[in-house]
Structure formats: structure tokens, C-alpha cells
Amino acid sequence: MELYSIKEESGQVVIRTQEGNFGFYGIREDIIRAVYTKSEEIKNKSLLVEPEVYECKAMLEAEETEEKVIISAGKLKVLWDKETGVCTWEDALSGKIYFREAGKSLTETAVVRYTTGGEKPVVKRVKTVDGERSFIENLKELKDRMAYRGKLEFDWEDGEAIYGLGQGEEGIYNYRHHQQYLYQHNMRIPMPFFVSGNGYGVFLDCASLMTFNDDENGSYIFMDTVDQMDYYVIAGDGMDGIIGGYRMLTGTASMLPKWAYGYVQSKEAYHTASELLEIGEEYRKRNVPVDCIVQDWNTWVPGLWGEKIVDESRYGNIKEVNDRLHDMNIHTMVSVWPNMAEGGKNHQEFVEAGQILGDYSTYDAFDDKARERYWKQASEGLFSKGFDSWWCDSTEPFSGPDWGGAVKREPWERYLLVGNEHKKYLDAAQVNAFAMMHAKGIFENQRKEKEDKRVLNLTRSGYASSQKYGVILWSGDISATWDVLKKQIHEGLNMAMSGMPYWTLDIGGFFVVGSAWQKRGCNCSDNPDPLWFWKGGYNDGVDDKGYCELYTRWFEFGTFLPIHRSHGTDTPREIWNFGEPGTMFYDAIDKFIRLRYRLMPYIYSMAGSVTRNNDTIMRSLMFDFAGDERVKDIGEEYMFGREILVCPVTEPMYYEADSRELDRVRAWECYLPDGAMWYDFWSDTSFEGGQYITAGAPIDKIPLFVRAGSILPQNQEEIQYASQKTDAPMLLQIYPGADGSFTLYEDAGDDYGYENGEFTEIPLIWDNSKRTLTIGRRTGIYPGMQETRGFTIAIGRFTKEAEYSGDEIVIQM
């Protein structure tokens, strides 16, 4: 291509050609932004990128040769080809090639939107399995502006692994040799970011529909609608460094309230405020720990879907109930929807303000004033009634035309059907960002009203930068089968490798029975039974021992997720529905709830590190053992923090469906990554890494292993809620065999003082050769902190006690 000029100044290099302009910006020595545009001006504005990123001026050095322009930021180097405009990305220090681009293109396309043309909308209100929806029957297509379709092609190395891209529903772990459609939908949360096993990541500043492709048709990312191709290459130090770079670009993850890391009890659905109280009272009566009870949809007056004003006949006493639950140290979460039925006060306010989208149901989350109005309604109707947190459900937010029928449509057909439905009502360049903007409104406006209470938002959809808005993502309405359980591990790991630290799922699967359309009251002739997505395997629910076993194994896996939450339809989910004390399923569930609370100092310290150090809790083995070639495709195991290896059981061992008894060995094959020695969490038996072993797996044990050198802080005295204080010394369990360290993090638990330094960190250092544990000097202070405390230091059953008042002490073991 004909090159007109190369301009180098203040951390940027702009190359102008007859095919368009190419901009390179030094963000950090290991991050370079690359832009390709057909316009004269390169735009520096984004929904996804932190504004201060555009102020970064990391020094770029440019060198021109006969064939290339070579640009270096210090650690990362890009070689721009003069003939094709494509780039080769290298480590500037070692010369290692991260990846080669194979092509890039921008093709002009028309952006259309849909309008009634001034006519009164003809609204068809439909009761669907995914909630009540509005469909407008007199929409007309209107050309809005011109933009581009973008295509960035890759020439990946043989054997290179690609992860991230958010969450699909297919359970793909390594995306090489696969195709994936990136659009928002129930069970789909796309992220415009992937990481490579070769040590780099690519973040695309794009909020349109996207396609990832790696097959005989090429290896590329396709962007449906962009004004310019805008992407960042991150060459961090390992997977943690890459994720840290991503969060530097899109925002630091906020701290969730401490209670959010405890057990969350939910189901579809409690029907009165008094029922919420009864559930909380029963848990406290049984002395089974719990921190949150969730109120799913249906708090509104029947017929007023999405109204944030409670039905007085069922929830008139909700403030009193929430106060009584708070007295028991139980918090509550309430479901809110972005779409509202015509006829409600909330809906009418948005219509009168002109802040409703073209479906005449969903508020415009891209409008600042609309977000303020949404919060005002939520605050007056629910927050003021004592609810502590939000379940922002169905945040896609338009019902997919594929969410029905007995046969699942082809992937490309679903992408077009659902994607085009979103493009009817949202700008085509922003269709994937609605849930993120919705979360932004909840977060920013709650903080304006009540700064001393952390925002918590469980949301079914999200996008890049959601992590800074107090968001937990969950995987949608999955079915109760062993195959889905296994796939969910892959989905959670890819979400973590997409930079999202807080992900969870419906423990036990949302849909339990084979199909239950009539059960949900949706007597629609165009929705046959069975439905393709309602594919649980247990028509008798908790009365089927096969389901009880699946639920228990799922519960054990869920104990080692960032958020521990049970939810679903078709059958009850509270612990007493799985037996009584002394029975196998009840006892196993009870054991793992208590284990979650025993590990709370470890879990909350990891949460502190997520915010303080851009850390990741649910860690693919690629985070810590990338040098072990075998872990590249192991997606059924993961690290819970840097210390605990989790090997979920994903096959039945006791019962099949219909309570049919199985005769098989209750054991599970586990791979122990190379480069470490491992201890069986349950027996303390040690193993060398780099081998498969067979671990015992009775119903009350999930195979867990602790890496040598680990220090696990734990509660010694049982607690009933996450923030409960006890006089018992904290247990520091040491696993010898290697040096190790851990930072114990603590803060007030439910305010934003940590942003101003109101937290403490205590460094713990194990010297294996000297067999000493150093409890380092405590840094920081926060209101209500424990000035002095006891520690019990343990290696196996050998223990020593220590009194600690904030100064360094060394314990010889």
C-alpha cells in the first residue's frame, strides 16, 4: 500500500496510507494500542476503556526499514508491514514472536435502527419461559449512519491455545479449531478479550456482535459494526500479568461485601416476605451457616412485570422481614428487570421522560438520566425496604427468538436471530454493552445515595469493564445433567481468563425436570413440550436419589467458586429437602457449607487480592503451571487461589436417575501439575506433581490437594455468617516441602473505606529449610479492627500458639 507519512510524537506513532490510517499508542511498556481507521481522525473515546488510558504516554521508539515500521514500547514490539498493513507482535527483549496477524480489513456497512415512524407502537405482550416480553408489530427500518464491518485475522502457531472470550454454553475450553459467536443471551456472556498460552492477550475495544473463527475458513475475529478497528495487545508476566493489564485498561474489580462470599440460598421462587423470613429462621434453627436469602422475580403486582413496587398483599411487611433477617445477620437480594410491562407506574415514568427503548418496555441504560431514574425507582421501591443487593436478571435484555421450540437451531441461525433482535432496539455498535451500562447505573447511583454500603449485583449478562461495578456474573438457565456440570467448569475458567473475577452458577442446574412448560403457566400453542433448553434429567427432583447425588457433587464444586450460590426451578433447594442430619446427602451438603465458612479468612484474603493486585480466584492451571505442557487442555480441574487444587467429580457413583443404584468404585482420577509437591487436603498424604493419581471420592469428599509451601488461614471456631467474629485463634495451616507466602487481608467488610487505605495486610512467610513461619508487621488500619489476636500454627497435627499485636514475630516449627 502507498505510504503517505509516519508521525511519531508523545507516545504515539501514526502511519497514514491510501488504505487508511494506522495508529499505535504506548500504554505501558507491555501494552500497545493499535487502531486502523478509514477516517482522518482516530477516536479516543470508549464505553469499555478507562478514560485515563488515553492519557498514557509510554515512550514508543519507531524505526523504518525498507519493508516494515518497527515500533517498541520497551517490552512489547510491533512490526508493521508496509505492503499489507498487518503486524507481527514480539517480545522486544527476547525476540520471541507472540503472534502474527494474517490480515485486517474494514468494509463499509449501513447501520440501521427500527422505529414506529411516529405511530403509536402496537405492542404484543407475550409470556415466555424467559419472562414477560413486549414485541412491537409496527416497526420500520431506518438507515441511521454508515460504519464498518471489521475483520482481524491471525496466523497462530501450531499447538497454540486460546482461552477467554467470556462464556458460551458449549463448554469449549481451548478455542483453537472452534467457532464461537459472541452475543448476549441466556447462558451466553461474550467478552471481547482472549489470552494465549503463548503469553499474550488481545482486548478488542468493540461492543458489537462478534465472531471468533479458527477452522479451514481462516483464523479471525469478525466485528459486526465498528467505527474503527481498535485493539490492545498485552504482553504481561504470565496469565496474572495479562489479566492485570486487561483490568488496567477496563477498570479495577471492586470489593464485594464480605457476606457475599458466604452461602447464598436461592430458588425460583419465594412468594411472600414471610416465606423469606421462614427460610432464614430455619437455617439459624439448624445452625447451618447462611449469609443471604434471595427473592427471585414476582415481587410486583400480578400483571405489572418488572415493576419495582412490591405487591402489598404479599410483601407489605418486607421492611419488617428484612429488619428481622438483618437481626439474624442474614442479608437479602431482590430480582429486578430492565423491562417493564405497560400499565405500571415505573413504565409510565420512563415513557413520559422519553427514556424507553423501541420495544416500549426496556429503559435506555445508555442514557445517564434514565439510569438515575431507574435507580430512583429501585431505591424507593426496594432499597428503602431493606434489600441489601440486586439480582439484575435478563440483562440481555431482549428475548431471543430461539428461546422456544423442541429443536435447538443452528449456531449461526441463533446468532443472527438473537443478534438482529438486539439491533432492532440498540445501536449496532453497542449491542453487547447493555448489561454493563445497566450495572454502571446501579453501582454509581447506589454509591451516591449510600457510600457506606458496597454494591452487589448478580447479573445474567455483562461485558468488558463490568468488574468495576460490583458485578457477579452467573451462567444462566442451565440444565441439571452431569454433562452440563462438566461443561460449566470450562465456562467458569474461560470467564476468569476473560478478566472477570466473580462468576457463579445455579448449583444443581436451573432446569431439573425434562420439560415443564405447563408448570410455569405458559400455555402458548407455539411453545411445544419438550423445549430444547429445558433438558434436566430428573423428573422427580429431590425425590430422586440420582438428582440428590448430582446436586451434592455440584454443591461441592460450588463451594470452591468465588461465589457459593444455589438456585433453580422445578424442585426445592434448601438443605432440608435433601434429607435430615445423619443422612448422606444432607450431611455432605452441611459439611461443605461449614467448610466454606472455615475457609473464609482464605477466601476473603483472595478477594482483597483481586482488588489490590488484579488477582484471580478461580484459576485455570495455565495461571500457575503453564510450563507443564499437559495442563493446556485440562479444563476439568482448577486452582482455587494459588494454594488449593480442585478436582470436581462429574460422574454419578451412587445413583442414576430414578434412584437406580450403581455398583462402582467411588474414586476419581486427578492430575497433579508438575513443578510442585501436593498434599491430599483430607488425609495430608503427599504426592509428587506431574502425575495422575486416583483419589478416594465418597459422597462427602471432593478431591482437593494443597500445594507444598501453602499457608491456609482458617477459622477454628464455627461461624454462622461471614463477618462473625470469634475469640478463638485463627488457624494457619502450613503444608511444608517448599517455601511459601500468603497475605492475610482484612477490612470493615461492607463499605468503601478500603479505597482510602482502610484495610490491613499481614504477610505470612514460610521458610521451609529453617522451618520458620514469620508473621510480618501488620500494615494499615480500619474501623473495628482486632488490635491483638491469637494464631494457631499447625503442620499436620503439630501445633504452636502465638499472640500477635501487629509486630513481626517468628515461630520455629
Side-chain angles (χ1 to χ4, degrees):
M1 62 178 65
E2 185 178 349
L3 193 154
Y4 295 151
S5 67
I6 301 174
K7 182 179 180 182
E8 178 185 358
E9 65 174 35
S10 188
Q12 66 180 26
V13 175
V14 177
I15 303 169
R16 300 192 179 276
T17 78
Q18 90 278 13
E19 296 294 328
N21 301 313
F22 299 81
F24 298 92
Y25 300 83
I27 306 303
R28 214 168 61 183
E29 67 170 6
D30 57 351
I31 303 176
I32 293 177
R33 175 190 178 205
V35 179
Y36 172 40
T37 179
K38 295 294 185 76
S39 303
E40 281 299 309
E41 181 184 1
I42 293 175
K43 297 179 180 179
N44 292 326
K45 187 177 181 181
S46 169
L47 289 177
L48 312 180
V49 175
E50 294 284 86
E52 52 266 30
V53 169
Y54 296 114
E55 304 302 317
C56 293
K57 303 292 183 184
M59 184 57 63
L60 291 181
E61 296 181 357
E63 173 189 352
E64 186 177 0
T65 69
E66 185 176 340
E67 297 178 343
K68 300 183 186 302
V69 178
I70 304 169
I71 303 161
S72 175
K75 180 177 180 181
L76 181 61
K77 181 167 66 175
V78 54
L79 288 70
W80 181 83
D81 189 281
K82 289 183 176 181
E83 182 178 349
T84 63
V86 301
C87 301
T88 299
W89 297 85
E90 297 183 355
D91 186 309
L93 303 177
S94 69
K96 169 190 173 182
I97 295 176
Y98 287 117
F99 71 98
R100 295 181 176 89
E101 297 173 3
K104 60 178 65 166
S105 61
L106 292 171
T107 306
E108 198 169 39
T109 185
V111 178
V112 300
R113 60 185 177 90
Y114 293 79
T115 174
T116 62
E119 298 176 358
K120 183 178 179 179
V122 178
V123 182
K124 180 182 179 182
R125 193 71 181 167
V126 178
K127 183 179 283 188
T128 77
V129 74
D130 203 23
E132 289 188 17
R133 304 288 180 168
S134 291
F135 295 90
I136 310 303
E137 298 188 320
N138 58 333
L139 288 175
K140 301 174 179 65
E141 187 177 299
L142 177 69
K143 181 178 175 180
D144 189 33
R145 69 179 195 282
M146 298 304 294
Y148 298 92
R149 293 185 171 191
K151 191 173 185 179
L152 180 59
E153 301 175 65
F154 300 90
D155 181 15
W156 283 310
E157 291 185 5
D158 291 342
E160 183 175 355
I162 300 295
Y163 311 98
L165 298 175
Q167 172 207 289
E169 60 190 87
E170 297 82 7
I172 301 168
Y173 179 54
N174 177 357
Y175 275 95
R176 287 302 308 278
H177 312 300
H178 288 89
Q179 186 178 69
Q180 185 61 286
Y181 295 99
L182 305 180
Y183 62 101
Q184 300 281 4
H185 199 13
N186 196 331
M187 301 191 291
R188 308 190 75 86
I189 312 173
M191 292 290 163
F193 175 54
F194 68 80
V195 294
S196 165
N198 280 15
Y200 68 90
V202 177
F203 166 61
L204 298 107
D205 187 0
C206 172
S208 77
L209 304 174
M210 300 171 70
T211 306
F212 173 91
N213 194 86
D214 184 37
D215 60 17
E216 64 276 6
N217 294 311
S219 303
Y220 58 83
I221 294 273
F222 169 76
M223 293 154 271
D224 177 75
T225 307
V226 294
D227 294 312
Q228 62 188 22
M229 185 181 293
D230 197 343
Y231 59 104
Y232 297 76
V233 177
I234 307 167
D237 183 12
M239 199 71 75
D240 285 297
I242 298 167
I243 298 300
Y246 164 82
R247 294 205 198 130
M248 179 262 181
L249 297 172
T250 61
T252 299
S254 60
M255 283 288 290
L256 307 181
K258 188 172 185 179
W259 61 261
Y261 303 96
Y263 176 55
V264 178
Q265 179 64 67
S266 179
K267 76 171 185 180
E268 190 201 44
Y270 302 117
H271 298 292
T272 67
S274 298
E275 190 178 358
L276 292 176
L277 181 61
E278 290 166 6
I279 297 299
E281 288 176 337
E282 185 65 22
Y283 270 96
R284 289 291 179 253
K285 176 183 173 183
R286 290 172 178 263
N287 293 315
V288 176
V290 69
D291 262 280
C292 181
I293 309 292
V294 180
Q295 174 60 58
D296 199 352
W297 65 277
N298 207 29
T299 53
W300 46 77
V301 172
L304 296 182
W305 189 277
E307 192 84 343
K308 296 175 284 297
I309 300 171
V310 300
D311 179 355
E312 288 292 326
S313 69
R314 296 178 295 120
Y315 292 93
N317 61 335
I318 188 61
K319 179 65 168 67
E320 176 190 349
V321 164
N322 276 325
D323 288 345
R324 290 178 66 182
L325 287 168
H326 292 159
D327 289 342
M328 292 186 280
N329 294 288
I330 297 174
H331 297 80
T332 54
M333 175 183 288
V334 62
S335 170
V336 292
W337 292 57
N339 58 306
M340 295 153 279
E342 191 175 5
K345 179 184 176 184
N346 288 172
H347 179 269
Q348 188 60 31
E349 287 179 354
F350 278 110
V351 172
E352 291 174 355
Q355 296 168 341
I356 206 84
L357 293 174
D359 67 341
Y360 203 62
S361 176
T362 305
Y363 89 104
D364 184 1
F366 293 88
D367 182 292
D368 293 350
K369 296 299 182 183
R371 294 196 300 272
E372 289 177 5
R373 185 178 306 281
Y374 190 92
W375 168 256
K376 183 173 182 292
Q377 294 176 353
S379 177
E380 290 176 353
L382 299 168
F383 198 53
S384 68
K385 309 294 186 187
F387 284 108
D388 300 285
S389 56
W390 308 100
W391 181 357
C392 289
D393 203 349
S394 195
T395 48
E396 288 79 15
F398 308 106
S399 182
D402 69 326
W403 199 243
V407 179
K408 185 176 181 179
R409 291 178 170 90
E410 291 299 301
W412 61 267
E413 186 181 12
R414 298 180 65 205
Y415 168 75
L416 292 174
L417 280 169
V418 179
N420 287 336
E421 190 72 16
H422 282 68
K423 287 162 68 173
K424 285 181 181 178
Y425 308 116
L426 299 172
D427 187 296
Q430 299 179 341
V431 293
N432 274 336
F434 181 93
M436 182 272 292
M437 297 302 292
H438 185 38
K440 173 183 171 76
I442 296 289
F443 183 83
E444 292 180 346
N445 286 293
Q446 179 179 317
R447 289 198 63 172
K448 287 178 186 176
E449 181 171 325
K450 192 168 180 58
E451 178 67 12
D452 62 349
K453 187 178 185 65
R454 293 180 193 168
V455 180
L456 178 64
N457 174 4
L458 175 70
T459 178
R460 196 170 77 184
S461 297
Y463 206 55
S465 83
S466 292
Q467 71 277 357
K468 64 186 179 185
Y469 296 131
V471 158
I472 304 165
L473 296 162
W474 104 92
S475 61
D477 296 344
I478 54 179
S479 292
T481 71
W482 289 96
D483 181 60
V484 169
L485 168 57
K486 183 176 181 179
K487 287 179 177 178
Q488 286 289 288
I489 306 170
H490 299 172
E491 300 294 2
L493 292 175
N494 269 318
M495 188 60 81
M497 287 190 281
S498 301
M500 296 293 116
Y502 296 118
W503 176 90
T504 190
L505 43 66
D506 293 349
I507 288 175
F510 183 75
F511 296 118
V512 176
V513 305
S515 182
W517 183 259
Q518 301 295 327
K519 196 172 181 179
R520 285 173 78 92
C522 301
N523 301 306
C524 307
S525 60
D526 57 345
N527 286 287
D529 187 359
L531 294 161
W532 69 262
F533 51 83
W534 203 314
K535 292 294 184 183
Y538 304 90
N539 288 333
D540 292 328
V542 295
D543 294 324
D544 186 334
K545 292 181 180 179
Y547 178 68
C548 291
E549 180 182 355
L550 172 65
Y551 181 87
T552 301
R553 292 301 195 188
W554 216 316
F555 199 94
E556 293 168 0
F557 162 48
T559 304
F560 295 93
L561 291 178
I563 304 298
H564 188 204
R565 164 186 168 272
S566 174
H567 179 69
T569 192
D570 298 335
T571 197
R573 304 301 169 113
E574 302 82 14
I575 184 173
W576 49 88
N577 293 289
F578 295 87
E580 289 295 333
T583 61
M584 62 186 289
F585 300 120
Y586 183 103
D587 284 356
I589 294 167
D590 177 73
K591 175 180 177 178
F592 277 85
I593 293 177
R594 296 181 193 281
L595 178 57
R596 177 81 179 190
Y597 283 83
R598 177 177 138 200
L599 290 172
M600 192 56 63
Y602 176 71
I603 294 168
Y604 198 61
S605 292
M606 288 193 291
S609 191
V610 166
T611 297
R612 296 269 296 135
N613 307 309
N614 291 315
D615 216 336
T616 298
I617 296 174
M618 186 183 186
R619 303 168 65 82
S620 157
L621 299 183
M622 290 295 292
F623 275 84
D624 302 295
F625 304 99
D628 183 344
E629 185 65 24
R630 281 167 288 195
V631 309
K632 183 172 63 177
D633 292 307
I634 296 178
E636 296 79 47
E637 302 177 7
Y638 63 96
M639 297 295 293
F640 186 60
R642 288 175 166 80
E643 286 74 21
I644 301 176
L645 174 66
V646 183
C647 306
V649 174
T650 57
E651 294 176 6
M653 294 182 176
Y654 292 81
Y655 296 97
E656 292 179 327
D658 301 319
S659 301
R660 293 191 300 270
E661 200 162 352
L662 291 170
D663 181 17
R664 64 166 286 181
V665 175
R666 280 91 190 227
W668 196 247
E669 187 177 66
C670 308
Y671 180 70
L672 306 180
D674 198 10
M677 185 173 77
W678 299 90
Y679 290 87
D680 185 311
F681 178 83
W682 305 106
S683 69
D684 270 353
T685 304
S686 62
F687 303 91
E688 289 298 324
Q691 63 170 324
Y692 283 91
I693 69 158
T694 300
I699 192 63
D700 66 341
K701 287 184 181 177
I702 181 176
L704 300 173
F705 300 89
V706 185
R707 184 170 18 179
S710 295
I711 306 165
L712 290 188
Q714 301 168 57
N715 288 319
Q716 286 197 92
E717 191 172 289
E718 285 199 350
I719 58 174
Q720 292 294 297
Y721 53 94
S723 60
Q724 184 176 349
K725 293 180 171 61
T726 74
D727 294 327
M730 182 182 292
L731 175 65
L732 302 178
Q733 186 74 47
I734 299 170
Y735 294 83
D739 292 340
S741 63
F742 189 85
T743 300
L744 182 65
Y745 173 92
E746 295 173 308
D747 63 21
D750 198 12
D751 63 20
Y752 288 96
Y754 72 84
E755 293 181 344
N756 303 314
E758 293 180 4
F759 61 87
T760 62
E761 291 183 321
I762 301 174
L764 308 172
I765 302 169
W766 169 250
D767 187 315
N768 194 65
S769 62
K770 296 180 180 177
R771 295 187 70 81
T772 58
L773 176 70
T774 299
I775 304 176
R777 182 177 176 276
R778 179 175 58 212
T779 59
I781 190 172
Y782 64 87
M785 65 171 278
Q786 194 173 348
E787 295 283 352
T788 61
R789 70 188 325 154
F791 285 111
T792 300
I793 300 92
I795 296 178
R797 296 183 179 179
F798 175 74
T799 63
K800 278 192 174 182
E801 303 296 324
E803 290 296 319
Y804 179 75
S805 58
D807 293 325
E808 180 180 298
I809 56 175
V810 180
I811 297 95
Q812 182 72 50
M813 297 298 290

